[in-house]
Amino acid sequence: MSTIAHARSHAMTHAWRGAVAGVIGGVVFGILMAMTGMLPMVAMLVGSENAVVGAVVHLAISAVFGVVFGLLMGALADHAWTTLGAGLAYGIVLWVVGGLILMPAMLGMAMFPMGQMSMMSLLGHAIYGLVVAASMYGLSRKHV
């Protein structure tokens, strides 16, 4: 196998593991979002206020962000503490960029909202990052 084909094969493996890890993290975060009534707000990104639509949108976004994490972590995902630390940092970055800037801007709201919902969002994003990282680690260790 050529070096380029080998590198592509590894990238695809990392991307698929990231997508699976992202969905797992998205389910966990989605449960928190459902409990706090945040899913209708996510649905507003696609012109709906239906919680089921919000859950589908949330899982799609979670999978995409999982792919990005998988590609960023690559072969390092088989180092537990490195992966978990990176996952926590990644979740916090997603909260700042997505939860405090992009989502409010897309919904015509003030950016950098601070309050109870923002803190719940921070907690959810941190949990998402940790679950994605733990899932990536597990998938990398099993060589699925």
Side-chain angles (χ1 to χ4, degrees), residues 38-124:
M38 292 171 64
L39 289 174
M41 184 182 299
V42 176
M44 291 170 65
L45 293 171
V46 295
S48 176
E49 291 186 26
N50 183 290
V52 174
V53 172
V56 171
V57 170
H58 169 71
L59 287 177
I61 292 169
S62 296
V64 170
F65 284 136
V67 168
V68 172
F69 185 76
L71 291 171
L72 289 173
M73 285 305 297
L76 293 176
D78 63 353
H79 301 285
W81 294 111
T82 301
T83 305
L84 289 172
L88 179 60
Y90 188 65
I92 293 169
V93 167
L94 290 178
W95 172 67
V96 172
V97 174
L100 297 181
I101 299 172
L102 291 177
M103 190 163 175
M106 291 173 74
L107 297 177
M109 300 164 51
M111 290 188 284
F112 297 102
M114 287 296 154
Q116 184 177 0
M117 288 303 274
S118 293
M119 293 301 103
M120 288 302 297
S121 179
L122 171 59
L123 176 63

